[in-house]
């Protein structure tokens, strides 16, 4: 816990308890069906390693030291809370120092970490039913949640969510499960085959957090607005200030610059994963075209007004743009200079694309390959 004068800033344990209590139950499956799904996802995750390495020409068997965990929704919550605690500690420490000398400090003390924990838990319960898979880059290892030896990391596959979506889309389950594993395995390959990538990304995030000048009460208000949207208590949130995402609290030029670099990197990583899953797909996933079409329609359609509001608040709309823009960048570069030419992107932080280059791949090719733009 991060505590201030005995009062916890965020009660992480309560956040986990709240999220696991409120999260929607997964689809109905028998015990035998559940075991079969878990076993198949493990097989597909293993098979995906070779498929992704062969297609991307990245990494070897020795580079994959991170575990694959097939989890349920509460398991996803516990894993992510552990990651949040790790990466957000500098920001919470800064907020802790600031709280004591601000007028909002007394109010924050009254609100307390337990209220914050409940509200954070409500947000996690919303997200826990939507994530299909995730490579946890900064995950600390624990007895219940193992991680890689070299700097952590683990691959999570959320079994009930995968089953839910494959049923909703009415696609071939075995193909869909392998398709999802190809995407997540690409992320695993990115971080295990490129040794400097994790440290670079962590450095950028910590630099961003170090520049944060956000009043603790403002952060709590954003959490509260999201939680109230979940409960239907703020129907006007979509039209007013409550519709802003957390990243839109950026206040300094330095943060905007860092956020631009982070956006470019995340667009690259997500777009690369989409490109790989579709590139490998025709060889090993017979119904890949149908899956992609239906999945894209699902992404574009979104859901209810509540879902739209929360996606804006949490910045999930930005993530959807990252998939699209990043995939276009990767496809354009591979078309121009081939896979080996594209892989120069992993040479060093200096060869990563900028936010502007994500939108104009020819500029990246001209800079990294020193070709004049035609």
């Amino acid at each position: 816990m991060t505590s201030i004068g005995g009062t916890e800033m965020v009660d992480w344990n309560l956040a986990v308890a709240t999220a696991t209590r409120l999260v929607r139950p997964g689809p109905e499956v028998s015990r035998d069906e559940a075991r079969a799904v878990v076993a198949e996802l493990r097989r597909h995750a293993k098979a995906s390693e070779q498929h992704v390495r062969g297609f991307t020409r990245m990494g070897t068997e020795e580079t994959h030291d991170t575990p694959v965990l097939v989890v349920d929704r509460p398991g996803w919550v516990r894993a992510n809370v552990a990651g949040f605690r790790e990466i957000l500690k500098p920001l919470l420490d800064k907020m802790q120092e600031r709280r004591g000398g601000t007028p909002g400090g007394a109010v924050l003390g009254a609100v307390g970490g337990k209220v914050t924990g409940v509200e954070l838990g409500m947000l996690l319960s919303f997200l826990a039913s939507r994530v299909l898979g995730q490579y946890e880059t900064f995950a600390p290892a624990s007895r219940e949640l193992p991680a890689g030896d070299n700097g952590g990391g683990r691959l999570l596959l959320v079994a009930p969510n995968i089953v839910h979506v494959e049923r909703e889309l009415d696609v071939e389950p075995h193909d869909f499960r392998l398709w999802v594993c190809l995407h997540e395995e690409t992320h695993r390959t990115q971080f295990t085959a490129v040794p400097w990538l994790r440290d670079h990304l962590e450095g950028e995030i910590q630099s961003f957090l170090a520049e944060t000048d956000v009043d603790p009460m403002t952060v709590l208000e954003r959490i509260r607005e999201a939680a109230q949207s979940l409960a239907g208590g703020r129907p006007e949130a979509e039209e007013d200030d409550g519709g802003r995402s957390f990243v839109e609290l950026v206040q300094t030029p330095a943060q905007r610059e860092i956020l631009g670099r982070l956006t470019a990197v995340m667009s690259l990583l997500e777009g690369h994963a989409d490109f790989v899953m579709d590139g490998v797909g025709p060889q090993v996933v017979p119904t890949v075209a149908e899956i992609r079409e239906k999945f894209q329609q699902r992404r574009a359609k979104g859901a209810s007004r509540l879902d739209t509001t929360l996606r804006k608040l949490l910045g999930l709309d930005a993530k959807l743009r990252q998939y699209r823009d990043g995939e276009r960048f990767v496809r354009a570069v591979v078309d121009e200079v081939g896979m080996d030419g594209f892989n120069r992107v992993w040479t060093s932080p200096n060869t990563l694309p900028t936010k502007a280059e994500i939108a104009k791949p020819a500029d990246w090719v001209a800079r990294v390959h020193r070709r004049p733009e035609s």
Side-chain angles (χ1 to χ4, degrees):
M1 303 298 177
T2 298
S3 61
I4 309 169
T7 302
E8 296 162 354
M9 191 84 161
V10 179
D11 190 331
W12 296 105
N13 291 336
L14 185 56
V16 171
T18 301
T20 55
R21 184 175 70 253
L22 295 179
V23 70
R24 299 173 184 175
E28 292 187 8
V29 294
S30 68
R31 186 179 298 272
D32 288 342
E33 287 174 322
R35 287 173 176 167
V37 170
V38 170
E40 183 174 22
L41 287 173
R42 292 186 185 281
R43 290 196 302 273
H44 284 331
K46 182 63 177 176
S48 294
E49 294 181 22
Q50 183 175 355
H51 295 318
V52 171
R53 286 200 304 267
F55 184 80
T56 64
R57 304 174 193 172
M58 294 174 65
T60 65
E61 292 186 10
E62 288 71 27
T63 62
H64 287 66
D65 72 327
T66 54
V68 176
L69 306 180
V70 181
V71 298
D72 57 10
R73 290 169 178 175
W76 179 88
V77 168
R78 288 190 290 271
N80 274 266
V81 166
F84 291 159
R85 291 180 68 171
E86 185 80 8
I87 200 68
L88 291 177
K89 187 177 184 302
L91 175 61
L92 292 179
D93 287 346
K94 185 172 184 176
M95 291 171 65
Q96 170 182 336
E97 294 174 1
R98 178 168 180 172
R99 176 196 159 193
T102 62
V107 180
L108 180 59
V111 173
K114 292 193 179 301
V115 174
T116 309
V118 168
E119 293 171 338
L120 180 59
M122 293 178 71
L123 292 183
L124 289 169
S125 72
F126 169 80
L127 295 172
S129 63
R130 285 158 172 76
V131 177
L132 301 181
Q134 174 185 359
Y135 183 76
E136 275 201 299
T137 313
F138 309 110
S142 67
R143 185 176 60 183
E144 298 80 11
L145 294 165
D149 294 331
N150 299 322
R154 52 181 166 241
L155 181 61
L156 304 178
L157 297 169
V158 190
N161 296 350
I162 293 172
V163 172
H164 171 77
V165 174
E166 71 191 27
R167 291 180 178 179
E168 179 184 304
L169 298 181
D170 190 24
V171 293
E172 210 290 318
H174 305 293
D175 286 2
F176 183 75
R177 294 167 194 175
L178 177 55
W179 190 70
V180 171
C181 287
L182 289 170
H183 181 101
E184 303 309 331
E185 175 58 35
T186 302
H187 287 317
R188 185 168 175 241
T189 297
Q190 290 163 348
F191 283 95
T192 55
V194 184
W196 55 264
L197 183 59
R198 178 190 181 277
D199 289 342
H200 171 72
L201 191 59
E202 182 178 21
E204 292 281 58
I205 292 172
Q206 295 302 340
S207 295
F208 179 87
L209 295 177
E211 290 287 336
T212 299
D213 189 24
V214 177
D215 181 80
M217 286 305 298
T218 305
V219 175
L220 290 184
E221 182 61 24
R222 292 287 175 255
I223 295 174
R224 186 167 300 105
E225 287 168 354
Q228 288 171 343
S229 293
L230 274 175
R234 281 289 300 276
E236 75 279 14
E238 189 172 356
E239 286 77 37
D240 66 14
D241 187 59
R244 296 198 302 165
S245 73
F246 286 105
V247 294
E248 290 176 307
L249 293 172
V250 173
Q251 295 181 343
T252 69
Q255 282 185 307
R256 284 191 289 271
E257 183 178 340
I258 296 168
L259 187 59
R261 295 196 299 267
L262 281 170
T263 298
V265 174
M266 297 311 298
S267 296
L268 170 69
L269 299 180
E270 296 294 357
H272 184 232
D274 263 14
F275 176 79
V276 171
M277 71 195 297
D278 287 344
V280 174
Q283 306 170 34
V284 298
V285 182
T287 60
V288 65
E290 176 191 0
I291 291 172
R292 166 57 74 188
E293 181 180 1
K294 290 183 174 180
F295 196 76
Q296 289 290 75
Q297 291 173 352
R298 182 178 185 270
R299 274 181 180 173
K301 181 177 65 175
S304 64
R305 185 169 183 270
L306 170 61
D307 188 78
T308 302
T309 300
L310 287 169
R311 277 168 48 178
K312 287 183 179 180
L313 182 67
L314 299 172
L316 300 183
D317 283 343
K319 187 174 179 64
L320 296 181
R321 289 193 296 272
Q322 288 170 4
Y323 286 112
R324 182 191 65 227
D325 297 344
E327 195 274 341
R328 288 174 180 169
F329 170 84
V330 175
R331 185 172 301 279
V333 172
V334 172
D335 286 347
E336 178 68 20
V337 297
M339 186 64 74
D340 290 336
F342 165 79
N343 280 341
R344 290 183 64 174
V345 77
W346 313 116
T347 303
S348 75
N350 292 330
T351 56
L352 290 173
T354 64
K355 189 176 180 180
E357 288 171 341
I358 288 289
K360 294 184 177 180
D363 290 353
W364 180 87
V365 173
R367 176 173 66 87
V368 174
H369 290 266
R370 289 182 167 77
R371 294 182 180 181
E373 188 175 358
S374 58

